[in-house]
Amino acid sequence: LITDLVLTHLDGVGLLTALAGRENAPASIVLSSFYNDRVLTACADAGACYFIPKPCHVPALLDHARLLGVEEKVRSYLEVLL
C-alpha cells in the first residue's frame, strides 16, 4: 500500500491503524509533504514500513517497494501516473 496522510474523508494514520489490525495487512509506504517527529512516530506506530517525504524521488520509492516485494505493483501504478 502506498498512501498519503491527507486523504479525502479519511485520515491516513487511521487507515494504517485499521489495516494493521487485519490478518493479511499489506506492507505500507507513506508519501506525504506533511510530517514532523510526531507524525513520523504515529505512522511507525500504525504499521508503516517506510515514510518518504514529497516530492519523492521515484527511484527511492521503487527501491523501498522492491524491499517490500511489491515493485511490480508500484511500477505499473507509476506508469499510469507518469
Side-chain angles (χ1 to χ4, degrees):
L1 169 70
I2 298 175
T3 187
D4 198 330
L5 292 176
V6 180
L7 305 168
T8 305
H9 307 292
L10 192 60
D11 168 32
V13 175
L15 171 66
L16 294 171
T17 301
L19 290 174
R22 293 184 173 203
E23 185 176 320
N24 294 323
S28 57
I29 298 173
V30 176
L31 297 174
S32 188
S33 57
F34 174 74
Y35 62 96
N36 58 35
D37 290 342
R38 190 179 316 169
V39 169
L40 295 175
T41 300
C43 289
D45 290 347
C49 296
Y50 293 104
F51 185 99
I52 301 175
K54 284 183 179 178
C56 102
H57 184 63
V58 174
L61 174 61
L62 290 175
D63 287 342
H64 290 295
R66 188 176 299 116
L67 291 172
L68 296 175
V70 295
E71 177 186 7
E72 289 306 314
K73 291 179 185 176
V74 171
R75 186 178 305 279
S76 63
Y77 177 75
L78 288 175
E79 286 173 0
V80 171
L81 291 178
L82 302 175

